Every structure is written in structure tokens, then in C-alpha cells.
Short mmCIF file of all heavy atoms in Angstrom, two decimals:
data_model
loop_
_atom_site.label_atom_id
_atom_site.label_comp_id
_atom_site.label_asym_id
_atom_site.label_seq_id
_atom_site.Cartn_x
_atom_site.Cartn_y
_atom_site.Cartn_z
N GLU A 1 8.93 -10.77 4.76
CA GLU A 1 8.03 -10.05 5.66
C GLU A 1 7.08 -9.17 4.84
O GLU A 1 7.45 -8.63 3.81
CB GLU A 1 8.86 -9.21 6.63
CG GLU A 1 7.99 -8.49 7.63
CD GLU A 1 8.78 -7.53 8.49
OE1 GLU A 1 9.58 -8.01 9.31
OE2 GLU A 1 8.59 -6.33 8.30
N MET A 2 5.89 -9.02 5.35
CA MET A 2 4.86 -8.26 4.64
C MET A 2 5.30 -6.82 4.36
O MET A 2 5.10 -6.31 3.25
CB MET A 2 3.57 -8.25 5.48
CG MET A 2 2.39 -7.68 4.76
SD MET A 2 1.83 -8.67 3.36
CE MET A 2 1.04 -10.03 4.19
N LEU A 3 5.92 -6.17 5.34
CA LEU A 3 6.35 -4.78 5.16
C LEU A 3 7.30 -4.66 3.97
O LEU A 3 7.17 -3.73 3.16
CB LEU A 3 7.01 -4.24 6.43
CG LEU A 3 7.62 -2.84 6.32
CD1 LEU A 3 6.57 -1.81 5.92
CD2 LEU A 3 8.30 -2.46 7.61
N GLU A 4 8.23 -5.57 3.86
CA GLU A 4 9.20 -5.51 2.76
C GLU A 4 8.52 -5.67 1.41
O GLU A 4 8.86 -4.97 0.45
CB GLU A 4 10.29 -6.56 2.96
CG GLU A 4 11.17 -6.31 4.17
CD GLU A 4 11.74 -4.89 4.23
OE1 GLU A 4 12.28 -4.41 3.21
OE2 GLU A 4 11.64 -4.26 5.30
N LYS A 5 7.55 -6.57 1.33
CA LYS A 5 6.82 -6.77 0.07
C LYS A 5 6.03 -5.52 -0.30
O LYS A 5 6.00 -5.11 -1.46
CB LYS A 5 5.87 -7.97 0.18
CG LYS A 5 6.58 -9.31 0.22
CD LYS A 5 5.56 -10.42 0.33
CE LYS A 5 6.23 -11.78 0.45
NZ LYS A 5 5.27 -12.86 0.63
N VAL A 6 5.40 -4.91 0.69
CA VAL A 6 4.61 -3.69 0.45
C VAL A 6 5.53 -2.57 -0.02
O VAL A 6 5.24 -1.88 -1.00
CB VAL A 6 3.84 -3.29 1.73
CG1 VAL A 6 3.25 -1.88 1.59
CG2 VAL A 6 2.74 -4.30 2.03
N LYS A 7 6.68 -2.41 0.64
CA LYS A 7 7.62 -1.36 0.27
C LYS A 7 8.13 -1.58 -1.16
O LYS A 7 8.27 -0.63 -1.93
CB LYS A 7 8.79 -1.33 1.25
CG LYS A 7 8.42 -0.73 2.59
CD LYS A 7 9.43 -0.98 3.68
CE LYS A 7 10.79 -0.44 3.42
NZ LYS A 7 11.67 -0.51 4.62
N GLU A 8 8.39 -2.82 -1.50
CA GLU A 8 8.87 -3.17 -2.84
C GLU A 8 7.86 -2.73 -3.91
O GLU A 8 8.23 -2.16 -4.93
CB GLU A 8 9.07 -4.69 -2.91
CG GLU A 8 10.22 -5.15 -3.76
CD GLU A 8 10.41 -6.64 -3.59
OE1 GLU A 8 11.10 -7.05 -2.64
OE2 GLU A 8 9.83 -7.39 -4.40
N ILE A 9 6.60 -3.03 -3.67
CA ILE A 9 5.55 -2.66 -4.62
C ILE A 9 5.43 -1.13 -4.71
O ILE A 9 5.32 -0.57 -5.79
CB ILE A 9 4.20 -3.31 -4.23
CG1 ILE A 9 4.28 -4.83 -4.47
CG2 ILE A 9 3.04 -2.70 -5.01
CD1 ILE A 9 3.13 -5.63 -3.90
N LEU A 10 5.47 -0.47 -3.57
CA LEU A 10 5.31 0.99 -3.56
C LEU A 10 6.44 1.70 -4.30
O LEU A 10 6.21 2.75 -4.92
CB LEU A 10 5.22 1.51 -2.12
CG LEU A 10 3.94 1.17 -1.37
CD1 LEU A 10 4.04 1.59 0.08
CD2 LEU A 10 2.73 1.83 -2.03
N THR A 11 7.64 1.15 -4.26
CA THR A 11 8.77 1.83 -4.92
C THR A 11 8.60 1.88 -6.43
O THR A 11 9.23 2.71 -7.08
CB THR A 11 10.12 1.17 -4.58
OG1 THR A 11 10.09 -0.21 -4.94
CG2 THR A 11 10.46 1.33 -3.11
N ASP A 12 7.75 1.03 -6.99
CA ASP A 12 7.48 1.09 -8.43
C ASP A 12 6.63 2.31 -8.80
O ASP A 12 6.53 2.67 -9.96
CB ASP A 12 6.76 -0.18 -8.90
CG ASP A 12 7.65 -1.40 -8.86
OD1 ASP A 12 8.89 -1.25 -8.85
OD2 ASP A 12 7.10 -2.51 -8.84
N TYR A 13 6.02 2.94 -7.80
CA TYR A 13 5.08 4.04 -8.06
C TYR A 13 5.56 5.38 -7.52
O TYR A 13 4.83 6.37 -7.60
CB TYR A 13 3.72 3.71 -7.45
CG TYR A 13 3.03 2.59 -8.17
CD1 TYR A 13 3.27 1.27 -7.83
CD2 TYR A 13 2.18 2.87 -9.24
CE1 TYR A 13 2.67 0.24 -8.53
CE2 TYR A 13 1.58 1.83 -9.94
CZ TYR A 13 1.83 0.53 -9.57
OH TYR A 13 1.23 -0.51 -10.26
N THR A 14 6.74 5.42 -6.95
CA THR A 14 7.20 6.66 -6.33
C THR A 14 8.70 6.82 -6.52
O THR A 14 9.40 5.85 -6.78
CB THR A 14 6.85 6.66 -4.82
OG1 THR A 14 7.32 7.88 -4.25
CG2 THR A 14 7.45 5.50 -4.07
N GLU A 15 9.15 8.04 -6.39
CA GLU A 15 10.58 8.33 -6.48
C GLU A 15 11.27 8.17 -5.12
O GLU A 15 12.47 8.28 -5.02
CB GLU A 15 10.79 9.78 -6.97
CG GLU A 15 10.18 10.06 -8.33
CD GLU A 15 10.82 9.26 -9.45
OE1 GLU A 15 12.06 9.19 -9.48
OE2 GLU A 15 10.08 8.69 -10.27
N VAL A 16 10.48 7.91 -4.09
CA VAL A 16 11.03 7.79 -2.74
C VAL A 16 11.80 6.47 -2.62
O VAL A 16 11.26 5.41 -2.94
CB VAL A 16 9.90 7.85 -1.68
CG1 VAL A 16 10.44 7.67 -0.27
CG2 VAL A 16 9.14 9.17 -1.80
N PRO A 17 13.05 6.52 -2.15
CA PRO A 17 13.83 5.30 -1.99
C PRO A 17 13.19 4.35 -0.97
O PRO A 17 12.60 4.80 0.02
CB PRO A 17 15.19 5.78 -1.46
CG PRO A 17 15.22 7.25 -1.72
CD PRO A 17 13.81 7.71 -1.78
N VAL A 18 13.31 3.06 -1.23
CA VAL A 18 12.70 2.05 -0.35
C VAL A 18 13.17 2.22 1.09
O VAL A 18 12.43 1.96 2.03
CB VAL A 18 12.96 0.62 -0.89
CG1 VAL A 18 14.42 0.24 -0.76
CG2 VAL A 18 12.06 -0.39 -0.21
N THR A 19 14.40 2.69 1.27
CA THR A 19 14.95 2.86 2.62
C THR A 19 14.25 3.96 3.40
O THR A 19 14.35 4.01 4.63
CB THR A 19 16.46 3.17 2.56
OG1 THR A 19 16.65 4.29 1.68
CG2 THR A 19 17.25 1.98 2.04
N GLU A 20 13.55 4.85 2.70
CA GLU A 20 12.85 5.95 3.37
C GLU A 20 11.37 5.65 3.62
O GLU A 20 10.68 6.47 4.23
CB GLU A 20 12.99 7.24 2.56
CG GLU A 20 14.41 7.75 2.51
CD GLU A 20 14.53 9.05 1.73
OE1 GLU A 20 13.51 9.76 1.56
OE2 GLU A 20 15.65 9.33 1.27
N ILE A 21 10.90 4.52 3.16
CA ILE A 21 9.50 4.15 3.37
C ILE A 21 9.39 3.38 4.69
O ILE A 21 10.06 2.36 4.87
CB ILE A 21 8.95 3.32 2.21
CG1 ILE A 21 9.01 4.14 0.90
CG2 ILE A 21 7.52 2.86 2.49
CD1 ILE A 21 8.61 3.36 -0.34
N THR A 22 8.57 3.88 5.59
CA THR A 22 8.39 3.24 6.90
C THR A 22 6.90 2.96 7.11
O THR A 22 6.06 3.34 6.28
CB THR A 22 8.87 4.15 8.04
OG1 THR A 22 7.99 5.30 8.11
CG2 THR A 22 10.31 4.62 7.82
N LEU A 23 6.57 2.34 8.23
CA LEU A 23 5.16 2.08 8.54
C LEU A 23 4.37 3.38 8.62
O LEU A 23 3.19 3.43 8.28
CB LEU A 23 5.03 1.32 9.86
CG LEU A 23 5.40 -0.15 9.81
CD1 LEU A 23 5.43 -0.74 11.22
CD2 LEU A 23 4.43 -0.93 8.94
N ALA A 24 5.01 4.46 9.04
CA ALA A 24 4.32 5.74 9.22
C ALA A 24 4.18 6.53 7.92
O ALA A 24 3.50 7.55 7.88
CB ALA A 24 5.07 6.58 10.25
N THR A 25 4.79 6.05 6.85
CA THR A 25 4.76 6.78 5.58
C THR A 25 3.32 6.90 5.07
O THR A 25 2.60 5.91 4.96
CB THR A 25 5.62 6.06 4.53
OG1 THR A 25 6.97 6.00 5.01
CG2 THR A 25 5.60 6.80 3.21
N ASP A 26 2.93 8.14 4.76
CA ASP A 26 1.60 8.43 4.23
C ASP A 26 1.65 8.36 2.71
O ASP A 26 2.54 8.94 2.08
CB ASP A 26 1.17 9.83 4.69
CG ASP A 26 -0.25 10.15 4.29
OD1 ASP A 26 -0.47 10.52 3.12
OD2 ASP A 26 -1.14 10.02 5.14
N LEU A 27 0.71 7.64 2.12
CA LEU A 27 0.72 7.42 0.67
C LEU A 27 0.61 8.72 -0.12
O LEU A 27 1.30 8.92 -1.11
CB LEU A 27 -0.41 6.47 0.27
CG LEU A 27 -0.41 5.09 0.91
CD1 LEU A 27 -1.59 4.29 0.41
CD2 LEU A 27 0.89 4.36 0.64
N VAL A 28 -0.26 9.62 0.32
CA VAL A 28 -0.50 10.86 -0.41
C VAL A 28 0.53 11.93 -0.04
O VAL A 28 1.19 12.50 -0.90
CB VAL A 28 -1.93 11.37 -0.17
CG1 VAL A 28 -2.14 12.74 -0.81
CG2 VAL A 28 -2.94 10.37 -0.71
N ASN A 29 0.69 12.17 1.24
CA ASN A 29 1.55 13.28 1.69
C ASN A 29 3.04 12.99 1.57
O ASN A 29 3.82 13.89 1.27
CB ASN A 29 1.21 13.66 3.13
CG ASN A 29 -0.21 14.18 3.25
OD1 ASN A 29 -0.70 14.87 2.38
ND2 ASN A 29 -0.88 13.82 4.32
N ASP A 30 3.45 11.75 1.82
CA ASP A 30 4.87 11.43 1.80
C ASP A 30 5.34 10.86 0.47
O ASP A 30 6.47 11.09 0.05
CB ASP A 30 5.22 10.43 2.92
CG ASP A 30 4.93 11.00 4.30
OD1 ASP A 30 5.07 12.23 4.49
OD2 ASP A 30 4.57 10.22 5.20
N LEU A 31 4.48 10.10 -0.19
CA LEU A 31 4.88 9.47 -1.45
C LEU A 31 4.34 10.20 -2.68
O LEU A 31 4.62 9.80 -3.81
CB LEU A 31 4.40 8.00 -1.47
CG LEU A 31 4.96 7.10 -0.38
CD1 LEU A 31 4.45 5.67 -0.56
CD2 LEU A 31 6.48 7.12 -0.36
N ASP A 32 3.58 11.27 -2.44
CA ASP A 32 3.01 12.07 -3.54
C ASP A 32 2.16 11.24 -4.50
O ASP A 32 2.18 11.46 -5.71
CB ASP A 32 4.12 12.79 -4.33
CG ASP A 32 4.74 13.91 -3.52
OD1 ASP A 32 4.00 14.55 -2.75
OD2 ASP A 32 5.95 14.15 -3.68
N LEU A 33 1.42 10.30 -3.96
CA LEU A 33 0.53 9.49 -4.80
C LEU A 33 -0.83 10.16 -4.85
O LEU A 33 -1.28 10.77 -3.87
CB LEU A 33 0.38 8.08 -4.21
CG LEU A 33 1.68 7.26 -4.10
CD1 LEU A 33 1.40 5.95 -3.39
CD2 LEU A 33 2.28 7.01 -5.47
N ASN A 34 -1.50 10.05 -5.98
CA ASN A 34 -2.87 10.57 -6.07
C ASN A 34 -3.84 9.40 -5.94
O ASN A 34 -3.43 8.25 -5.83
CB ASN A 34 -3.08 11.37 -7.36
CG ASN A 34 -2.88 10.53 -8.61
OD1 ASN A 34 -3.28 9.37 -8.66
ND2 ASN A 34 -2.28 11.12 -9.63
N SER A 35 -5.12 9.70 -5.97
CA SER A 35 -6.11 8.64 -5.74
C SER A 35 -6.06 7.57 -6.83
O SER A 35 -6.25 6.39 -6.54
CB SER A 35 -7.51 9.23 -5.63
OG SER A 35 -7.82 9.99 -6.78
N LEU A 36 -5.76 7.95 -8.06
CA LEU A 36 -5.64 6.96 -9.13
C LEU A 36 -4.43 6.06 -8.89
O LEU A 36 -4.51 4.84 -9.08
CB LEU A 36 -5.51 7.65 -10.49
CG LEU A 36 -5.42 6.71 -11.70
CD1 LEU A 36 -6.66 5.82 -11.79
CD2 LEU A 36 -5.25 7.51 -12.98
N ASP A 37 -3.32 6.63 -8.43
CA ASP A 37 -2.14 5.83 -8.09
C ASP A 37 -2.50 4.79 -7.02
O ASP A 37 -2.11 3.63 -7.11
CB ASP A 37 -1.01 6.71 -7.54
CG ASP A 37 -0.42 7.66 -8.56
OD1 ASP A 37 -0.38 7.29 -9.76
OD2 ASP A 37 0.01 8.75 -8.16
N VAL A 38 -3.23 5.25 -6.01
CA VAL A 38 -3.59 4.34 -4.90
C VAL A 38 -4.45 3.19 -5.42
O VAL A 38 -4.22 2.04 -5.08
CB VAL A 38 -4.31 5.12 -3.77
CG1 VAL A 38 -4.84 4.15 -2.72
CG2 VAL A 38 -3.35 6.13 -3.14
N VAL A 39 -5.41 3.50 -6.29
CA VAL A 39 -6.26 2.44 -6.86
C VAL A 39 -5.40 1.46 -7.67
O VAL A 39 -5.56 0.24 -7.55
CB VAL A 39 -7.39 3.05 -7.73
CG1 VAL A 39 -8.10 1.96 -8.52
CG2 VAL A 39 -8.37 3.81 -6.86
N ASN A 40 -4.48 1.97 -8.47
CA ASN A 40 -3.60 1.09 -9.25
C ASN A 40 -2.74 0.22 -8.35
O ASN A 40 -2.53 -0.97 -8.63
CB ASN A 40 -2.69 1.93 -10.17
CG ASN A 40 -3.46 2.54 -11.32
OD1 ASN A 40 -4.49 2.03 -11.74
ND2 ASN A 40 -2.97 3.65 -11.83
N ILE A 41 -2.25 0.78 -7.27
CA ILE A 41 -1.43 0.03 -6.33
C ILE A 41 -2.26 -1.06 -5.65
O ILE A 41 -1.79 -2.17 -5.44
CB ILE A 41 -0.78 0.97 -5.30
CG1 ILE A 41 0.28 1.81 -6.01
CG2 ILE A 41 -0.17 0.20 -4.14
CD1 ILE A 41 0.81 2.97 -5.19
N VAL A 42 -3.50 -0.73 -5.30
CA VAL A 42 -4.39 -1.73 -4.69
C VAL A 42 -4.56 -2.92 -5.63
O VAL A 42 -4.53 -4.08 -5.18
CB VAL A 42 -5.75 -1.10 -4.31
CG1 VAL A 42 -6.79 -2.17 -4.02
CG2 VAL A 42 -5.58 -0.18 -3.11
N VAL A 43 -4.71 -2.67 -6.92
CA VAL A 43 -4.83 -3.76 -7.90
C VAL A 43 -3.58 -4.63 -7.87
O VAL A 43 -3.66 -5.86 -7.91
CB VAL A 43 -5.09 -3.20 -9.31
CG1 VAL A 43 -5.00 -4.30 -10.36
CG2 VAL A 43 -6.45 -2.52 -9.37
N VAL A 44 -2.41 -4.02 -7.77
CA VAL A 44 -1.16 -4.78 -7.69
C VAL A 44 -1.13 -5.63 -6.42
O VAL A 44 -0.75 -6.80 -6.46
CB VAL A 44 0.06 -3.84 -7.76
CG1 VAL A 44 1.36 -4.62 -7.54
CG2 VAL A 44 0.10 -3.10 -9.08
N PHE A 45 -1.56 -5.05 -5.30
CA PHE A 45 -1.62 -5.82 -4.05
C PHE A 45 -2.59 -7.00 -4.18
O PHE A 45 -2.31 -8.10 -3.71
CB PHE A 45 -2.03 -4.94 -2.86
CG PHE A 45 -0.96 -4.01 -2.39
CD1 PHE A 45 -1.22 -2.67 -2.17
CD2 PHE A 45 0.33 -4.47 -2.15
CE1 PHE A 45 -0.23 -1.80 -1.74
CE2 PHE A 45 1.33 -3.61 -1.70
CZ PHE A 45 1.04 -2.27 -1.50
N GLU A 46 -3.73 -6.75 -4.81
CA GLU A 46 -4.71 -7.82 -5.00
C GLU A 46 -4.10 -8.97 -5.81
O GLU A 46 -4.26 -10.13 -5.44
CB GLU A 46 -5.96 -7.28 -5.70
CG GLU A 46 -6.80 -6.37 -4.84
CD GLU A 46 -7.98 -5.76 -5.56
OE1 GLU A 46 -7.90 -5.54 -6.80
OE2 GLU A 46 -8.99 -5.49 -4.89
N ASP A 47 -3.41 -8.63 -6.88
CA ASP A 47 -2.77 -9.66 -7.71
C ASP A 47 -1.65 -10.37 -6.96
O ASP A 47 -1.53 -11.59 -7.01
CB ASP A 47 -2.22 -9.04 -9.00
CG ASP A 47 -3.32 -8.57 -9.95
OD1 ASP A 47 -4.48 -8.99 -9.76
OD2 ASP A 47 -3.00 -7.79 -10.85
N ALA A 48 -0.84 -9.59 -6.27
CA ALA A 48 0.33 -10.14 -5.59
C ALA A 48 -0.06 -11.08 -4.45
O ALA A 48 0.63 -12.07 -4.19
CB ALA A 48 1.22 -9.02 -5.06
N PHE A 49 -1.17 -10.76 -3.78
CA PHE A 49 -1.54 -11.53 -2.59
C PHE A 49 -2.78 -12.40 -2.79
O PHE A 49 -3.23 -13.07 -1.87
CB PHE A 49 -1.72 -10.60 -1.39
CG PHE A 49 -0.44 -9.89 -1.00
CD1 PHE A 49 -0.21 -8.58 -1.37
CD2 PHE A 49 0.54 -10.56 -0.28
CE1 PHE A 49 0.97 -7.94 -1.03
CE2 PHE A 49 1.72 -9.94 0.07
CZ PHE A 49 1.94 -8.62 -0.31
N GLY A 50 -3.36 -12.35 -3.99
CA GLY A 50 -4.50 -13.20 -4.29
C GLY A 50 -5.73 -12.89 -3.47
O GLY A 50 -6.46 -13.80 -3.06
N ILE A 51 -5.97 -11.61 -3.23
CA ILE A 51 -7.16 -11.21 -2.47
C ILE A 51 -7.89 -10.12 -3.24
O ILE A 51 -7.37 -9.57 -4.20
CB ILE A 51 -6.82 -10.69 -1.06
CG1 ILE A 51 -5.96 -9.41 -1.15
CG2 ILE A 51 -6.15 -11.75 -0.23
CD1 ILE A 51 -5.84 -8.68 0.16
N GLU A 52 -9.10 -9.80 -2.78
CA GLU A 52 -9.84 -8.67 -3.33
C GLU A 52 -10.04 -7.66 -2.22
O GLU A 52 -10.50 -8.02 -1.13
CB GLU A 52 -11.18 -9.12 -3.89
CG GLU A 52 -11.87 -8.04 -4.67
CD GLU A 52 -13.10 -8.54 -5.41
OE1 GLU A 52 -13.04 -9.62 -6.03
OE2 GLU A 52 -14.12 -7.84 -5.34
N ILE A 53 -9.66 -6.44 -2.48
CA ILE A 53 -9.82 -5.38 -1.48
C ILE A 53 -11.02 -4.53 -1.89
O ILE A 53 -11.01 -3.91 -2.95
CB ILE A 53 -8.54 -4.50 -1.40
CG1 ILE A 53 -7.34 -5.38 -1.04
CG2 ILE A 53 -8.73 -3.38 -0.38
CD1 ILE A 53 -6.00 -4.67 -1.11
N PRO A 54 -12.09 -4.55 -1.08
CA PRO A 54 -13.30 -3.80 -1.43
C PRO A 54 -13.04 -2.29 -1.48
O PRO A 54 -12.18 -1.77 -0.75
CB PRO A 54 -14.28 -4.14 -0.32
CG PRO A 54 -13.57 -4.97 0.67
CD PRO A 54 -12.19 -5.24 0.19
N ASP A 55 -13.77 -1.60 -2.35
CA ASP A 55 -13.60 -0.15 -2.50
C ASP A 55 -13.71 0.58 -1.17
O ASP A 55 -12.98 1.52 -0.91
CB ASP A 55 -14.64 0.42 -3.47
CG ASP A 55 -14.40 -0.04 -4.90
OD1 ASP A 55 -13.29 -0.54 -5.19
OD2 ASP A 55 -15.32 0.10 -5.73
N ARG A 56 -14.64 0.13 -0.32
CA ARG A 56 -14.83 0.83 0.95
C ARG A 56 -13.59 0.71 1.86
O ARG A 56 -13.38 1.55 2.72
CB ARG A 56 -16.07 0.33 1.67
CG ARG A 56 -15.99 -1.09 2.17
CD ARG A 56 -17.29 -1.56 2.80
NE ARG A 56 -17.17 -2.89 3.37
CZ ARG A 56 -17.06 -4.00 2.68
NH1 ARG A 56 -17.07 -3.96 1.35
NH2 ARG A 56 -16.95 -5.17 3.28
N ALA A 57 -12.79 -0.32 1.66
CA ALA A 57 -11.58 -0.49 2.47
C ALA A 57 -10.44 0.38 1.96
O ALA A 57 -9.57 0.79 2.73
CB ALA A 57 -11.16 -1.95 2.48
N ILE A 58 -10.46 0.70 0.67
CA ILE A 58 -9.36 1.45 0.07
C ILE A 58 -9.20 2.82 0.72
O ILE A 58 -8.09 3.25 1.00
CB ILE A 58 -9.55 1.59 -1.45
CG1 ILE A 58 -9.48 0.21 -2.11
CG2 ILE A 58 -8.51 2.53 -2.05
CD1 ILE A 58 -9.83 0.21 -3.60
N ARG A 59 -10.31 3.47 1.02
CA ARG A 59 -10.21 4.82 1.59
C ARG A 59 -9.56 4.82 2.98
O ARG A 59 -9.10 5.85 3.46
CB ARG A 59 -11.56 5.52 1.61
CG ARG A 59 -12.56 4.91 2.54
CD ARG A 59 -13.85 5.76 2.58
NE ARG A 59 -14.89 5.07 3.30
CZ ARG A 59 -15.84 4.34 2.72
NH1 ARG A 59 -15.89 4.23 1.42
NH2 ARG A 59 -16.75 3.73 3.44
N ASP A 60 -9.53 3.67 3.64
CA ASP A 60 -8.90 3.56 4.96
C ASP A 60 -7.41 3.25 4.87
O ASP A 60 -6.72 3.24 5.89
CB ASP A 60 -9.59 2.48 5.80
CG ASP A 60 -11.05 2.83 6.08
OD1 ASP A 60 -11.36 4.04 6.21
OD2 ASP A 60 -11.87 1.91 6.18
N LEU A 61 -6.93 2.98 3.67
CA LEU A 61 -5.52 2.64 3.49
C LEU A 61 -4.75 3.92 3.18
O LEU A 61 -4.51 4.25 2.03
CB LEU A 61 -5.36 1.61 2.37
CG LEU A 61 -6.14 0.31 2.53
CD1 LEU A 61 -5.93 -0.58 1.33
CD2 LEU A 61 -5.75 -0.41 3.82
N THR A 62 -4.37 4.64 4.22
CA THR A 62 -3.70 5.93 4.01
C THR A 62 -2.20 5.88 4.31
O THR A 62 -1.46 6.72 3.83
CB THR A 62 -4.35 7.03 4.86
OG1 THR A 62 -4.28 6.66 6.23
CG2 THR A 62 -5.80 7.23 4.45
N THR A 63 -1.77 4.90 5.11
CA THR A 63 -0.35 4.78 5.43
C THR A 63 0.13 3.38 5.08
O THR A 63 -0.67 2.46 4.86
CB THR A 63 -0.07 5.02 6.92
OG1 THR A 63 -0.68 3.96 7.67
CG2 THR A 63 -0.59 6.37 7.39
N VAL A 64 1.43 3.23 5.06
CA VAL A 64 2.02 1.91 4.81
C VAL A 64 1.55 0.93 5.89
O VAL A 64 1.23 -0.21 5.61
CB VAL A 64 3.56 2.01 4.75
CG1 VAL A 64 4.19 0.62 4.69
CG2 VAL A 64 3.99 2.85 3.55
N GLU A 65 1.47 1.40 7.12
CA GLU A 65 1.02 0.53 8.21
C GLU A 65 -0.41 0.04 7.98
O GLU A 65 -0.72 -1.13 8.23
CB GLU A 65 1.10 1.26 9.55
CG GLU A 65 0.71 0.36 10.72
CD GLU A 65 0.92 1.00 12.07
OE1 GLU A 65 1.05 2.24 12.15
OE2 GLU A 65 0.96 0.25 13.06
N ASP A 66 -1.28 0.91 7.47
CA ASP A 66 -2.66 0.51 7.16
C ASP A 66 -2.67 -0.65 6.16
O ASP A 66 -3.41 -1.62 6.32
CB ASP A 66 -3.46 1.67 6.57
CG ASP A 66 -3.68 2.82 7.54
OD1 ASP A 66 -3.66 2.58 8.76
OD2 ASP A 66 -3.88 3.95 7.06
N ILE A 67 -1.83 -0.54 5.14
CA ILE A 67 -1.76 -1.58 4.12
C ILE A 67 -1.25 -2.89 4.71
O ILE A 67 -1.83 -3.95 4.49
CB ILE A 67 -0.87 -1.14 2.94
CG1 ILE A 67 -1.49 0.06 2.22
CG2 ILE A 67 -0.64 -2.29 1.97
CD1 ILE A 67 -0.56 0.73 1.24
N VAL A 68 -0.17 -2.80 5.46
CA VAL A 68 0.44 -4.00 6.05
C VAL A 68 -0.57 -4.68 6.98
O VAL A 68 -0.76 -5.90 6.90
CB VAL A 68 1.74 -3.65 6.81
CG1 VAL A 68 2.24 -4.82 7.64
CG2 VAL A 68 2.82 -3.19 5.82
N ARG A 69 -1.23 -3.91 7.83
CA ARG A 69 -2.22 -4.50 8.75
C ARG A 69 -3.37 -5.16 7.99
O ARG A 69 -3.83 -6.24 8.34
CB ARG A 69 -2.76 -3.45 9.71
CG ARG A 69 -1.80 -3.11 10.81
CD ARG A 69 -2.46 -2.25 11.85
NE ARG A 69 -1.55 -2.03 12.95
CZ ARG A 69 -1.76 -1.17 13.92
NH1 ARG A 69 -2.86 -0.44 13.91
NH2 ARG A 69 -0.90 -1.02 14.89
N TYR A 70 -3.85 -4.48 6.95
CA TYR A 70 -4.94 -5.04 6.15
C TYR A 70 -4.51 -6.37 5.53
O TYR A 70 -5.23 -7.37 5.62
CB TYR A 70 -5.38 -4.06 5.06
CG TYR A 70 -6.60 -4.54 4.31
CD1 TYR A 70 -7.87 -4.19 4.74
CD2 TYR A 70 -6.48 -5.40 3.23
CE1 TYR A 70 -9.00 -4.65 4.08
CE2 TYR A 70 -7.60 -5.87 2.56
CZ TYR A 70 -8.86 -5.49 2.99
OH TYR A 70 -9.97 -5.97 2.36
N LEU A 71 -3.35 -6.37 4.90
CA LEU A 71 -2.88 -7.58 4.24
C LEU A 71 -2.62 -8.70 5.24
O LEU A 71 -2.95 -9.86 4.97
CB LEU A 71 -1.62 -7.29 3.42
CG LEU A 71 -1.83 -6.38 2.21
CD1 LEU A 71 -0.50 -6.01 1.59
CD2 LEU A 71 -2.74 -7.03 1.19
N GLU A 72 -2.06 -8.38 6.38
CA GLU A 72 -1.80 -9.40 7.40
C GLU A 72 -3.11 -9.99 7.91
O GLU A 72 -3.17 -11.17 8.26
CB GLU A 72 -0.98 -8.83 8.56
CG GLU A 72 0.46 -8.62 8.19
CD GLU A 72 1.30 -7.98 9.30
OE1 GLU A 72 0.73 -7.39 10.24
OE2 GLU A 72 2.52 -8.07 9.19
N THR A 73 -4.17 -9.20 7.91
CA THR A 73 -5.47 -9.67 8.38
C THR A 73 -6.16 -10.58 7.35
O THR A 73 -6.76 -11.58 7.71
CB THR A 73 -6.39 -8.47 8.70
OG1 THR A 73 -5.76 -7.68 9.70
CG2 THR A 73 -7.75 -8.95 9.19
N TYR A 74 -6.04 -10.22 6.08
CA TYR A 74 -6.84 -10.90 5.06
C TYR A 74 -6.07 -11.85 4.15
O TYR A 74 -6.67 -12.52 3.31
CB TYR A 74 -7.59 -9.87 4.21
CG TYR A 74 -8.62 -9.13 5.03
CD1 TYR A 74 -8.35 -7.84 5.51
CD2 TYR A 74 -9.83 -9.73 5.38
CE1 TYR A 74 -9.29 -7.17 6.29
CE2 TYR A 74 -10.76 -9.07 6.15
CZ TYR A 74 -10.49 -7.80 6.60
OH TYR A 74 -11.41 -7.13 7.37
N VAL A 75 -4.77 -11.92 4.27
CA VAL A 75 -3.98 -12.82 3.42
C VAL A 75 -3.74 -14.12 4.17
O VAL A 75 -3.43 -14.14 5.31
CB VAL A 75 -2.66 -12.17 2.98
CG1 VAL A 75 -1.75 -13.19 2.30
CG2 VAL A 75 -2.94 -11.02 2.04
#
């Protein structure tokens, strides 16, 4: 499932256990990621799913749900 793949990737960048990451999890406020972390994670998603995520879309990816919805739409 897409959510599980997203959570797996995110756990490489945060100390938060995968079991605590939900659709409502905020990348900055809950996972303590900074903007550079988010950009690096987007690159991993691009590689993992074989897509390109435009810069203008990145700023809209603030929660795990945003990422899952984006990937489900474009993958």
C-alpha cells in the first residue's frame, strides 16, 4: 500500500517510529523535518516511484496524507 511505502521512506529521515506516523502526521511539526529534509525526501520519492515532482507541488506536501494523495494521483 502507498501509505506503508511512504512511511517506510520517512522513517529513514526521522526518529519517529513508523507506528506513530499516520496520514495526519505533519512533516515539519510532527517529524521535525526542515525544508532541506523535505526536498531530500521528495528526491527519494521521485526515485522510488519513477516520477518527477515539480517544485511548485513540493510546498503543498505538508502532511503524510498530502504525499500519499499526490503519489496515488501521479504514479
